[in-house]
Amino acid sequence: MTAETTPPIATREHTVEGFVREFLRELNFGQGVDLTRASVNDKYLAMARTVRHYLMTRWLSTLRSQAKLQAKSVAYLSAEFLLGRQLDNALLASGLEDIVKEGLASLGIDLEELRQAEIEPGLGNGGLGRLAACFIDSLATMNVPSIGYGIRYEYGIFKQTFVDGWQVEKPDDWLRLGSPWEFPHPEAAVKVGFGGHVEQYQDDDGVVKRRWVPGWSVLGVPYNYMVPGYDAGRVNTLRLWSARATRAFDLEIFNSGDYAEAVRAQTFAENISKVLYPEDSTPQGKELRLQQQYFFVACSIKDFVDQVLPADFDLHKLPDRIVFQLNDTHPVIAVPELMRVLVDEKGWEWDEAWAVTKQCFAYTCHTLLPEALEVWPVELLGRLLPRHLEIIYRINDEFLAELRVAYPNDELRVRRMSIIAEYPVRAVRMAYLATVAGTKVNGVAELHSQLLRDKVLDDFAAYWPDKFTNVTNGVTPRRFVKLSNPGLSGLITEAIGDGWVTDLDQLKGLEPLADDAEFRRRFREIKYANKQRLAGVLAERDNIVVNPDTLFDVMVKRLHEYKRQTLKLLHIVSLYEKITTGELAIGDVTPRTFAFGAKAAPGYVMAKQIIGLINAVGRTINDDPALEGRLRVAFPANYNVTLAETLIPAADLSEQISLAGKEASGTGNMKFMLNGALTIGTDDGANVEIRQLVGDENFFLFGLTEPQVAEVVERGYHPSAYYETNLDLRNALDLIASGAFSGGDRAVFEPIVSNLLNEDRFLALADFQAYVDAQARVDAAYADTDDWTRRAVLNVARGGFFSSDRSMRDYIERIWHTYPVAPEA
Ligand SMILES: *Cc1c(COP(=O)(O)O)cnc(C)c1O
């Protein structure tokens, strides 16, 4: 199409009157209600669609320019995208905030009420899914062509409730009031096969080939979401797949007269995208999970090859056009899938296909825990994806042959590196497959990447030293500062201008202001207001009363033994024990609010016990009149992105106390730093980099280092020795064991106590004293309020490195080699 005949794209009028007109049109013609009778949900839906319209011009021009330029893109393949609420972010990205506030006010509508009506899409478990959401935000803001591919779970991460302090899960029916942010395209559904067998045949030239004959199939329906960049950047696309039964499948059964069976088959197919698995860092190896993984990557590759690329595209040039970033091992089945498409469907030679495939992927590893590395039994994989198993075997055979040439006398090493594990059952190591196929393998913080090279994937790092790299995680300053902390954002902008929102290194400009008493006073005022705001939310949402005049000590993250919520709890119990025995006068204790937020995987019994204990200790402390206004435990249920956005800006102290060598990076730690909390933490994950940047004097470091942990474990760790020699620790554990927090019933928390005394896999007892000592340093530092504020300001000023924009620049330079392309005006 020539420039003259290019059809125009509609635009909207960026004025209060223009907005009001669009809004009323959506309310009347879209929702079919009159303003006087509209429910909050009607108004929210109309509002969402109106804002969406304002972003549409940029989205369409992004798509148009991408179709024309065919610039190299990133396809971010992730089983999770923990997006958080969309309305605020869309308002920010469209620059409509002021217009909307004024327009709604003129109609007598409270924007805040509409904000609260939004149910966040919880399509992820925790850090990994939130990282994906931060990354696509940064890519759009930085004008980098990209597409996110994932699953549109009908039920996201469960809603956590507490019954008598115990976690009870409720389904997360996030779609029930409508989902105004998505664009379904059922006409563009793609078909994905499962099961069946592989057959041999002769092609037209008489060459013997193999092809997959699936036993059943499902349809993947794409749902598109806008990913709006901040301030006139691109609006990229997030494409989530929803499973539907194929027509052929149910009709066949229906025609045979079995109506019930046809319906059952339909339900079976649609189960694939029904629910997000709630395990974080502990895959259960369930068949449906592998179905989900193959479902979304097969849909995505087919979509990219057949829909996104032009019809005449030469697939030999695929690596110039796309890089598939594998967010952990969940999408790694994409590697044999691309091979299958090229060899079986496009008729390529194996070597030709492998040469292209191995240039198209890069792999991000997110863990160090052995139990988190996905391994699929050959029996299961072969039953569900027989052709893929063959392809994996061939990839492995050729890889092992290559290794035998490189290491002619080291068969042991060759076997260690095999993609196929032999024990305890024959299984495919997905991390190894990703490492063999990827151009790059990255860890997510310096220490983590080092440990990947030295421990988890050491043989591979020896063989391919250049394949390994680090990209330290980051968080988007749009959501986690600008939107969540408007007070602080305003103060920063007043001091250094608003360039920081897209160039977070500019926060360095705040450093001199740490020494400015007036700036500190205003900074402190904002922190106080954030605490009041949180107090209001907790009162309303959870019926929890907190005192803003206390130190807000916050630990929010998934509940996992390696993160060591129990260590925090032992500190609290020890304090309480000393107060009740009179060893410590309540007047000498720094008034603190201990806030927790954490979901436990429903099948993770110990984690759920720990939640029960936190709540039980909390109840005891909170009910003690002597402690009122001075010590409180606040554990709001259902920690999610929305709650994070009010909790984190209110925090004074950020708890990042995982056992060294276990937390890959952490991103919660970064959010706290950027909101002016000081960190108490171990030398783990990105804490290491936080401490380097903020300086030892502004970070409360404690605990064993990773090499020390390795040494202790090597020597043989005996937690009971700490119990026997540390009186405070013994008193705290004895108090729990005595039933003091369980109405005298000693059995209730016995599993926690005996686990700590006998096993303590994550060395909480070994680090207890160091942690308590570090907390004493916190108390001393907090006593000098003004100096604490100075350090808090320095945390913000030195946190710019942790923008996900910087992470994206690192990926682009070290891994992707893509370029920004601004949308056409
Ligand atoms: C940032 C974030 C996380 C990750 O927290 P970590 O402390 O890094 O584990 C988990 N859940 C939510 C809702 C988050 O916003």
Side-chain angles (χ1 to χ4, degrees), residues 425-439:
V425 292
R426 180 172 284 196
V428 182
R429 296 160 161 151
M430 301 309 271
Y432 288 13
L433 177 56
T435 302
V436 170
T439 54

Side-chain angles (χ1 to χ4, degrees), residues 651-701:
D652 295 303
L653 187 65
S654 160
E655 298 274 353
Q656 308 300 336
I657 61 178
S658 51
L659 175 64
K662 300 297 174 192
E663 185 73 273
S665 164
T667 49
N669 46 4
M670 303 168 186
K671 299 169 196 164
F672 281 99
M673 179 188 194
L674 287 167
N675 282 278
L678 274 63
T679 305
I680 183 166
T682 47
D683 219 14
D684 200 16
N687 290 358
V688 177
E689 287 146 90
I690 288 179
R691 185 167 61 87
Q692 277 162 3
L693 284 163
V694 81
D696 284 346
E697 66 286 5
N698 301 308
F699 186 105
F700 301 97
L701 175 70

